[in-house]
Amino acid sequence: MQEIKIVKASEILFEYKDGYAETEILANTCPGIRICKCRLQAGVEKELEVYGENDKMQLLFFTTKSGVLKSGHKIYSIDDQAVFIPDFDREKVTLIAAEEEMQFIRITGPMTEIDHRQMKNCQYVLPRFVRLSESIEYTERFTQESGSKVVSHSIIAGRHLGRYTMGWNIGAGPDFIGQHTHPTLEQWYFMIDGSEFNYLAGGNVIPVGEGDVSFTPHGTSHGSECTKDGFINYVWFELNRAWEEL
């Protein structure tokens, strides 16, 4: 089984070309998944590469509130931390940074027959733009029963993007997320504004903070805790490998 991996914000370097930088992180943690931290300098316009629906899906997670996104004839204001899912290659996707640098995380992953079938059955419509502040709040049973006050949100629900899901957890300390295990889920955490807590995974206690990214392989017990001065605030991304032999 793979081990837990962490990349610290201070370790990520960016090399700009024509005002745009894209750095892959946590490479080779999961077959086919590519995660990049990206930056677009103020005032720069960038057309992103898009992919056919039989090739790969793409997610953009905007971690700063700056600029606009154009998809076909639609324009979305990046006035909040938000997630965008393009309609594959049916529309061009263009980013325009405003007076401040635009920062985002770009995730791509393979599309399989399972993904296509699940998306067709739930009739999810793309493109999709979801502000974190508008995401749906829900309660994890293991969190509620343990007395945690961390608030969970769904950004991309199960089947909406096939095997891929995404959510957001937030809670001021002292607080925690109890230990639990996902037998088939590969999971990445993206620590955002003000994060400062201990990630407890595979018997390790790992201090994490804003800008850090973690990978936890399936079958690994994990949870989180923070002191009264800490803050749990991260977006998680998951790949469900239930249809594979693990």
Side-chain angles (χ1 to χ4, degrees), residues 47-67:
E47 181 177 325
L48 287 184
E49 183 180 4
V50 290
Y51 307 97
E53 63 180 339
N54 293 319
D55 185 8
K56 62 184 74 175
M57 70 83 195
Q58 180 170 203
L59 295 173
L60 305 177
F61 169 36
F62 295 94
T63 56
T64 57
K65 310 169 186 179
S66 171

Side-chain angles (χ1 to χ4, degrees), residues 100-117:
E100 298 181 5
E101 184 174 67
M102 177 185 287
Q103 299 183 18
F104 62 98
I105 295 167
R106 187 182 188 192
I107 306 172
T108 58
M111 289 291 292
T112 68
E113 184 179 333
I114 294 166
D115 299 312
H116 292 301
R117 183 170 66 247

Side-chain angles (χ1 to χ4, degrees), residues 2 4 8 36 47 53 59 63-64 66 75 95-96 108 112 120 154 156 174 180 188 197 201-202 204 214 224 242:
Q2 292 196 54
I4 299 150
K8 305 296 289 185
C36 297
E47 181 177 325
E53 63 180 339
L59 295 173
T63 56
T64 57
S66 171
I75 298 178
L95 304 177
I96 306 172
T108 58
T112 68
K120 182 178 180 180
S154 175
I156 303 170
H180 58 286
W188 293 259
F197 64 95
N204 301 304
S214 70
S224 303

Side-chain angles (χ1 to χ4, degrees), residues 163-216:
R163 298 166 298 149
Y164 304 100
T165 52
M166 188 175 243
W168 170 39
N169 288 334
I170 184 169
D175 214 336
F176 66 95
I177 296 175
Q179 289 284 316
H180 58 286
T181 301
H182 304 300
T184 63
L185 298 181
E186 314 288 12
Q187 192 171 66
W188 293 259
Y189 286 3
F190 306 104
M191 320 311 168
I192 55 176
D193 297 359
S195 278
E196 187 178 353
F197 64 95
N198 285 329
Y199 185 46
L200 316 175
N204 301 304
V205 179
I206 306 168
V208 294
E210 181 177 332
D212 297 349
V213 182
S214 70
F215 167 73
T216 304

Side-chain angles (χ1 to χ4, degrees), residues 79-90:
D79 54 7
D80 191 4
Q81 292 176 324
V83 172
F84 177 74
I85 311 171
D87 189 11
F88 299 102
D89 59 355
R90 296 186 181 92

